[in-house]
Amino acid sequence: MQERKIDFNVKFAYGVGQAGEGLFAIGLSFFLLFYYSQILGLSPGLAGSAIGIAVIVDAASDVLAGSVSDHWQSKLGRRHPFMYASFLPLSITFFLLFFPLVESETGLFIWLAVFTNVARTMMSLYHVPHIALGAEITTDVNDRSALVAYRQFFSQVGGLAALVLFFLVFSPMLGEGGRFTPEAYVPWALCIACLMAITIFWSAWGTRSVIPYLPKIPSLATTSLFSTFLRLFADFKEVAQNRNFRFLFTGVLIVYIMVGVTYTLDLYMISYFWELDDSIVLPVLIAFAVGNAAGTFASVRLFAIFGKKVCLITGALAWAFFQTLPVVLRLLGWFPENADILTFASQELNLVMVLLVIIKLLQGFVTAQANVGYGSMIADVCDEHEYLTGRRQEGAFFAAVSFSAKATSGFGAVIAGLGLEFINWPTGPEIRTAADVPPQTITDLGLFYGPFIAALGFISVWFYSQYRLTPARHAEMLQEMARQRTDLGTTGYGRSSTLI
């Protein structure tokens, strides 16, 4: 039997859709708390709590989007209708997050909470069907990992674009430049919203050719709203019974929350702990994404050599190690001072900036193996679930994946906001340099950002080590399911065909 092959255009279009989420993630994880706290003056505890409230709604919207799309029937298949329906509402609500029409602290809190919730719900409507589609397109091990690699690569491209547009285009064009330019945030958000709409529509339109080849589900009788919610609960309960899924999900949820805390605090660390001015801040901000994009390209080959599980564990350990390293060295007095200069080829470079760029590049490269490995392993678990139950429920599985990913800027913002509140961090646009913050508060920020948070990342490794689905066993299950489909004459993965 010939495995179905995926055309490059399909892989590219599928990956481009993740650029929209990369743009979205930078807005919510990197800029949002800083914008509301340091630019608009909202208490970081209130701002973090407002952003974090959306996590509760996320849990429901992700499960809803996954389960409903699992059972959806239309000429456009199960996933594409939701991808088409999401791109305009998502873009509009993202823009409104950075365009508050209120000024009071209570008004800002309510605005932030409402539009974060709506924006995340719209992202669920797109993201869950999109990543579930990737598990349906093929069962070929290399193609499946390649799809995840394309997705991760374009996620980093989207994040890079968001940073470059803010720091090199809008902030210098509309003000003095840098993170403290209030005039830059609204037009930047409008631009990012438009790019999100374009990339998401591109992904849906560019992958439409795969619809005839996707697995079909039996026709279901019309059910009541109550029956639909019972089915949602049953779907979630069923996927949660898969042992391999439980350990993967728990491990990555821990990591994503910790990553969310550090992403949220990155601007604080760069501004006050490392004291990098706006002329040299961008290389540090984009170094992780560049390393991650490069690591994504290498991931499929590394998986073939070492296996997905080893790469996942290595990536998780590397993230925690490199996250902790520079902060601990600084607190021990073994890291250069912020004003130290490195002379290279007659050029004077900030030594701290150079070292942070190198560390972030290495961290991003190795962490990419964990990102791609996790996505590909979840797709393998979907196959295991079908083998054990006879049901394809990618949407239900990837709803949990979506929730864990979005916990990055949800739980992460809550923890970061409360942490800043705990160490009595000063807020407002006048707090621009380390001289405006008590020295002990800056030390506390470093301890919270580095060793305290990163140490929790090591816990995830134990959960990953409990994953038991080997490549050999996965291959055996795929062969058995293909034989069953061929014997029954059903459409799906067992049919020999080529995507063009």
Side-chain angles (χ1 to χ4, degrees), residues 188-232:
W188 169 83
L190 179 60
C191 178
I192 296 302
C194 293
L195 289 175
M196 286 167 55
I198 292 169
T199 55
I200 291 173
F201 179 80
W202 184 351
S203 184
W205 183 257
T207 56
R208 70 192 188 282
S209 64
V210 309
I211 295 173
Y213 304 99
L214 299 177
K216 308 298 189 297
I217 61 169
S219 297
L220 297 175
T222 303
T223 58
S224 67
L225 182 62
F226 178 71
S227 297
T228 300
F229 279 101
L230 286 179
R231 189 183 67 205
L232 296 181

Side-chain angles (χ1 to χ4, degrees), residues 29-30 33 260-270 412 415-417 420 445 448-449 453:
S29 298
F30 188 76
L33 181 66
V261 175
T262 57
Y263 275 2
T264 306
L265 295 178
D266 270 343
L267 267 181
Y268 291 87
M269 288 292 292
I270 288 171
I415 296 171
L420 290 173
L445 175 65
F448 182 60
Y449 175 90
I453 293 299

Side-chain angles (χ1 to χ4, degrees), residues 32 77 161 461:
L32 196 58
V461 173

Side-chain angles (χ1 to χ4, degrees), residues 402-463:
S402 175
F403 172 73
S404 64
K406 289 188 294 183
T408 296
S409 53
F411 287 129
V414 174
I415 296 171
L418 293 178
L420 290 173
E421 202 75 41
F422 181 76
I423 64 176
N424 296 315
W425 188 266
T427 62
E430 70 279 2
I431 310 299
R432 293 192 166 217
T433 69
D436 302 318
V437 183
Q440 183 58 48
T441 303
I442 294 177
T443 299
D444 292 340
L445 175 65
L447 287 170
F448 182 60
Y449 175 90
F452 177 75
I453 293 299
L456 298 179
F458 291 99
I459 299 174
S460 67
V461 173
W462 181 84
F463 288 95

Side-chain angles (χ1 to χ4, degrees), residues 6 25 30 45 85 136 201-202 224 289 333 341 359 366 396 418 423 461 475-476 478 480:
I6 306 177
F30 188 76
E136 294 180 331
F201 179 80
W202 184 351
S224 67
I341 297 297
I359 290 170
V366 186
L418 293 178
I423 64 176
V461 173
E476 290 174 3
L478 291 179
E480 177 62 25

